Amino acid sequence: MRVPAKPPLEGLKRSIDKHRAKASRLPRDGFLRESFSLPRAQARAKAREWLERWPKQAYWTEIESWCERPGDMIEFTMRRLPSAD
């Protein structure tokens, strides 16, 4: 009894890789994110700068996550919508 050969999967693999590469460049939820690691005073100034430049009411700007690191460093991620439509 002969076992049938497996179909070639190269085309499928290329298609999946292409889709994943395209998807990784675009945020899934529409928000733009930028991460920073700054001393505490500079971190406050950077967050204030973002909130003044892109107001929360129009761009949904917010500090998505933050944590303290040794040496009074603050690591945080800001997020906002790309436009105020």
Side-chain angles (χ1 to χ4, degrees):
M1 172 166 242
R2 186 169 176 250
V3 176
K6 293 183 180 178
L9 297 176
E10 288 307 309
L12 178 61
K13 287 179 183 177
R14 276 194 308 272
S15 176
I16 290 171
D17 290 340
K18 188 171 136 182
H19 176 72
R20 286 180 179 163
K22 181 181 175 186
S24 69
R25 289 182 297 205
L26 301 173
R28 292 183 203 169
D29 58 4
F31 285 96
L32 299 176
R33 291 174 173 80
E34 193 168 342
S35 296
F36 304 94
S37 184
L38 300 167
R40 187 178 301 271
Q42 291 177 1
R44 265 192 199 133
K46 180 58 77 174
R48 201 170 284 127
E49 175 189 324
W50 264 63
L51 290 166
E52 288 171 0
R53 187 169 181 185
W54 297 288
K56 183 175 181 116
Q57 295 80 2
Y59 293 90
W60 295 8
T61 304
E62 68 177 19
I63 298 171
E64 186 172 58
S65 64
W66 68 278
C67 64
E68 288 186 57
R69 297 290 181 204
D72 205 32
M73 296 290 286
I74 306 296
E75 188 175 296
F76 62 103
T77 300
M78 298 289 300
R79 79 174 192 183
R80 67 174 178 86
L81 290 173
S83 67
D85 290 326

PDB file of all heavy atoms in Angstrom, residues 48-60:
ATOM      1  N   ARG A  48       3.965  65.088  30.223  1.00  0.00           N
ATOM      2  CA  ARG A  48       3.249  66.364  30.111  1.00  0.00           C
ATOM      3  C   ARG A  48       3.289  66.881  28.679  1.00  0.00           C
ATOM      4  O   ARG A  48       2.289  67.362  28.139  1.00  0.00           O
ATOM      5  CB  ARG A  48       3.892  67.375  31.064  1.00  0.00           C
ATOM      6  CG  ARG A  48       2.988  68.510  31.426  1.00  0.00           C
ATOM      7  CD  ARG A  48       3.555  69.373  32.546  1.00  0.00           C
ATOM      8  NE  ARG A  48       3.418  68.693  33.834  1.00  0.00           N
ATOM      9  CZ  ARG A  48       4.422  68.483  34.686  1.00  0.00           C
ATOM     10  NH1 ARG A  48       5.633  68.905  34.424  1.00  0.00           N
ATOM     11  NH2 ARG A  48       4.203  67.863  35.821  1.00  0.00           N
ATOM     12  N   GLU A  49       4.461  66.740  28.034  1.00  0.00           N
ATOM     13  CA  GLU A  49       4.619  67.171  26.632  1.00  0.00           C
ATOM     14  C   GLU A  49       3.642  66.419  25.723  1.00  0.00           C
ATOM     15  O   GLU A  49       2.978  67.015  24.883  1.00  0.00           O
ATOM     16  CB  GLU A  49       6.060  66.917  26.187  1.00  0.00           C
ATOM     17  CG  GLU A  49       6.347  67.186  24.740  1.00  0.00           C
ATOM     18  CD  GLU A  49       7.739  66.696  24.350  1.00  0.00           C
ATOM     19  OE1 GLU A  49       8.669  66.796  25.165  1.00  0.00           O
ATOM     20  OE2 GLU A  49       7.874  66.197  23.222  1.00  0.00           O
ATOM     21  N   TRP A  50       3.541  65.112  25.887  1.00  0.00           N
ATOM     22  CA  TRP A  50       2.620  64.311  25.081  1.00  0.00           C
ATOM     23  C   TRP A  50       1.177  64.748  25.302  1.00  0.00           C
ATOM     24  O   TRP A  50       0.410  64.886  24.361  1.00  0.00           O
ATOM     25  CB  TRP A  50       2.779  62.834  25.454  1.00  0.00           C
ATOM     26  CG  TRP A  50       3.686  62.071  24.559  1.00  0.00           C
ATOM     27  CD1 TRP A  50       5.006  62.276  24.364  1.00  0.00           C
ATOM     28  CD2 TRP A  50       3.320  60.969  23.730  1.00  0.00           C
ATOM     29  NE1 TRP A  50       5.504  61.364  23.480  1.00  0.00           N
ATOM     30  CE2 TRP A  50       4.486  60.545  23.078  1.00  0.00           C
ATOM     31  CE3 TRP A  50       2.135  60.285  23.499  1.00  0.00           C
ATOM     32  CZ2 TRP A  50       4.492  59.491  22.192  1.00  0.00           C
ATOM     33  CZ3 TRP A  50       2.156  59.224  22.622  1.00  0.00           C
ATOM     34  CH2 TRP A  50       3.319  58.836  21.972  1.00  0.00           C
ATOM     35  N   LEU A  51       0.810  64.955  26.562  1.00  0.00           N
ATOM     36  CA  LEU A  51      -0.572  65.309  26.877  1.00  0.00           C
ATOM     37  C   LEU A  51      -0.927  66.713  26.385  1.00  0.00           C
ATOM     38  O   LEU A  51      -2.084  66.973  26.056  1.00  0.00           O
ATOM     39  CB  LEU A  51      -0.822  65.177  28.373  1.00  0.00           C
ATOM     40  CG  LEU A  51      -0.821  63.725  28.862  1.00  0.00           C
ATOM     41  CD1 LEU A  51      -0.733  63.679  30.379  1.00  0.00           C
ATOM     42  CD2 LEU A  51      -2.042  62.988  28.373  1.00  0.00           C
ATOM     43  N   GLU A  52       0.058  67.610  26.330  1.00  0.00           N
ATOM     44  CA  GLU A  52      -0.202  68.949  25.787  1.00  0.00           C
ATOM     45  C   GLU A  52      -0.272  68.915  24.261  1.00  0.00           C
ATOM     46  O   GLU A  52      -1.093  69.595  23.655  1.00  0.00           O
ATOM     47  CB  GLU A  52       0.882  69.924  26.247  1.00  0.00           C
ATOM     48  CG  GLU A  52       0.771  70.280  27.717  1.00  0.00           C
ATOM     49  CD  GLU A  52       1.961  71.072  28.224  1.00  0.00           C
ATOM     50  OE1 GLU A  52       2.906  71.357  27.434  1.00  0.00           O
ATOM     51  OE2 GLU A  52       1.961  71.405  29.423  1.00  0.00           O
ATOM     52  N   ARG A  53       0.611  68.129  23.653  1.00  0.00           N
ATOM     53  CA  ARG A  53       0.658  68.066  22.190  1.00  0.00           C
ATOM     54  C   ARG A  53      -0.540  67.318  21.610  1.00  0.00           C
ATOM     55  O   ARG A  53      -1.081  67.704  20.574  1.00  0.00           O
ATOM     56  CB  ARG A  53       1.960  67.402  21.753  1.00  0.00           C
ATOM     57  CG  ARG A  53       2.175  67.438  20.279  1.00  0.00           C
ATOM     58  CD  ARG A  53       3.569  67.028  19.930  1.00  0.00           C
ATOM     59  NE  ARG A  53       3.744  67.088  18.493  1.00  0.00           N
ATOM     60  CZ  ARG A  53       4.823  66.699  17.872  1.00  0.00           C
ATOM     61  NH1 ARG A  53       5.839  66.245  18.553  1.00  0.00           N
ATOM     62  NH2 ARG A  53       4.895  66.758  16.580  1.00  0.00           N
ATOM     63  N   TRP A  54      -0.913  66.218  22.257  1.00  0.00           N
ATOM     64  CA  TRP A  54      -2.055  65.416  21.814  1.00  0.00           C
ATOM     65  C   TRP A  54      -3.030  65.305  22.989  1.00  0.00           C
ATOM     66  O   TRP A  54      -2.961  64.364  23.782  1.00  0.00           O
ATOM     67  CB  TRP A  54      -1.603  64.029  21.368  1.00  0.00           C
ATOM     68  CG  TRP A  54      -0.695  64.059  20.195  1.00  0.00           C
ATOM     69  CD1 TRP A  54      -1.033  64.350  18.914  1.00  0.00           C
ATOM     70  CD2 TRP A  54       0.716  63.810  20.186  1.00  0.00           C
ATOM     71  NE1 TRP A  54       0.082  64.292  18.115  1.00  0.00           N
ATOM     72  CE2 TRP A  54       1.172  63.962  18.865  1.00  0.00           C
ATOM     73  CE3 TRP A  54       1.650  63.467  21.158  1.00  0.00           C
ATOM     74  CZ2 TRP A  54       2.490  63.789  18.491  1.00  0.00           C
ATOM     75  CZ3 TRP A  54       2.962  63.297  20.798  1.00  0.00           C
ATOM     76  CH2 TRP A  54       3.368  63.460  19.472  1.00  0.00           C
ATOM     77  N   PRO A  55      -3.983  66.234  23.113  1.00  0.00           N
ATOM     78  CA  PRO A  55      -4.902  66.248  24.267  1.00  0.00           C
ATOM     79  C   PRO A  55      -5.686  64.942  24.408  1.00  0.00           C
ATOM     80  O   PRO A  55      -6.093  64.339  23.420  1.00  0.00           O
ATOM     81  CB  PRO A  55      -5.847  67.413  23.965  1.00  0.00           C
ATOM     82  CG  PRO A  55      -5.142  68.234  22.938  1.00  0.00           C
ATOM     83  CD  PRO A  55      -4.256  67.316  22.179  1.00  0.00           C
ATOM     84  N   LYS A  56      -5.881  64.545  25.644  1.00  0.00           N
ATOM     85  CA  LYS A  56      -6.578  63.296  25.932  1.00  0.00           C
ATOM     86  C   LYS A  56      -7.981  63.261  25.339  1.00  0.00           C
ATOM     87  O   LYS A  56      -8.425  62.230  24.839  1.00  0.00           O
ATOM     88  CB  LYS A  56      -6.637  63.086  27.442  1.00  0.00           C
ATOM     89  CG  LYS A  56      -7.286  61.783  27.831  1.00  0.00           C
ATOM     90  CD  LYS A  56      -7.224  61.556  29.313  1.00  0.00           C
ATOM     91  CE  LYS A  56      -7.874  60.235  29.637  1.00  0.00           C
ATOM     92  NZ  LYS A  56      -6.987  59.267  30.201  1.00  0.00           N
ATOM     93  N   GLN A  57      -8.690  64.378  25.367  1.00  0.00           N
ATOM     94  CA  GLN A  57     -10.060  64.414  24.882  1.00  0.00           C
ATOM     95  C   GLN A  57     -10.147  64.095  23.388  1.00  0.00           C
ATOM     96  O   GLN A  57     -11.114  63.513  22.932  1.00  0.00           O
ATOM     97  CB  GLN A  57     -10.696  65.792  25.140  1.00  0.00           C
ATOM     98  CG  GLN A  57     -10.856  66.141  26.595  1.00  0.00           C
ATOM     99  CD  GLN A  57      -9.563  66.642  27.231  1.00  0.00           C
ATOM    100  OE1 GLN A  57      -8.536  66.772  26.586  1.00  0.00           O
ATOM    101  NE2 GLN A  57      -9.623  66.889  28.525  1.00  0.00           N
ATOM    102  N   ALA A  58      -9.136  64.490  22.624  1.00  0.00           N
ATOM    103  CA  ALA A  58      -9.178  64.287  21.172  1.00  0.00           C
ATOM    104  C   ALA A  58      -8.451  63.019  20.732  1.00  0.00           C
ATOM    105  O   ALA A  58      -8.896  62.324  19.825  1.00  0.00           O
ATOM    106  CB  ALA A  58      -8.571  65.495  20.462  1.00  0.00           C
ATOM    107  N   TYR A  59      -7.320  62.706  21.364  1.00  0.00           N
ATOM    108  CA  TYR A  59      -6.468  61.597  20.909  1.00  0.00           C
ATOM    109  C   TYR A  59      -6.480  60.390  21.849  1.00  0.00           C
ATOM    110  O   TYR A  59      -5.783  59.424  21.609  1.00  0.00           O
ATOM    111  CB  TYR A  59      -5.019  62.078  20.775  1.00  0.00           C
ATOM    112  CG  TYR A  59      -4.812  63.080  19.678  1.00  0.00           C
ATOM    113  CD1 TYR A  59      -4.936  64.452  19.918  1.00  0.00           C
ATOM    114  CD2 TYR A  59      -4.487  62.670  18.395  1.00  0.00           C
ATOM    115  CE1 TYR A  59      -4.735  65.373  18.908  1.00  0.00           C
ATOM    116  CE2 TYR A  59      -4.280  63.584  17.387  1.00  0.00           C
ATOM    117  CZ  TYR A  59      -4.412  64.933  17.648  1.00  0.00           C
ATOM    118  OH  TYR A  59      -4.211  65.842  16.645  1.00  0.00           O
ATOM    119  N   TRP A  60      -7.214  60.457  22.946  1.00  0.00           N
ATOM    120  CA  TRP A  60      -7.234  59.408  23.967  1.00  0.00           C
ATOM    121  C   TRP A  60      -5.838  59.115  24.484  1.00  0.00           C
ATOM    122  O   TRP A  60      -5.483  57.970  24.782  1.00  0.00           O
ATOM    123  CB  TRP A  60      -7.873  58.131  23.456  1.00  0.00           C
ATOM    124  CG  TRP A  60      -9.323  58.199  23.114  1.00  0.00           C
ATOM    125  CD1 TRP A  60     -10.100  59.315  23.058  1.00  0.00           C
ATOM    126  CD2 TRP A  60     -10.165  57.120  22.775  1.00  0.00           C
ATOM    127  NE1 TRP A  60     -11.379  58.997  22.700  1.00  0.00           N
ATOM    128  CE2 TRP A  60     -11.453  57.643  22.512  1.00  0.00           C
ATOM    129  CE3 TRP A  60      -9.972  55.759  22.655  1.00  0.00           C
ATOM    130  CZ2 TRP A  60     -12.515  56.855  22.154  1.00  0.00           C
ATOM    131  CZ3 TRP A  60     -11.030  54.976  22.292  1.00  0.00           C
ATOM    132  CH2 TRP A  60     -12.293  55.516  22.043  1.00  0.00           C
TER     133      TRP A  60
END
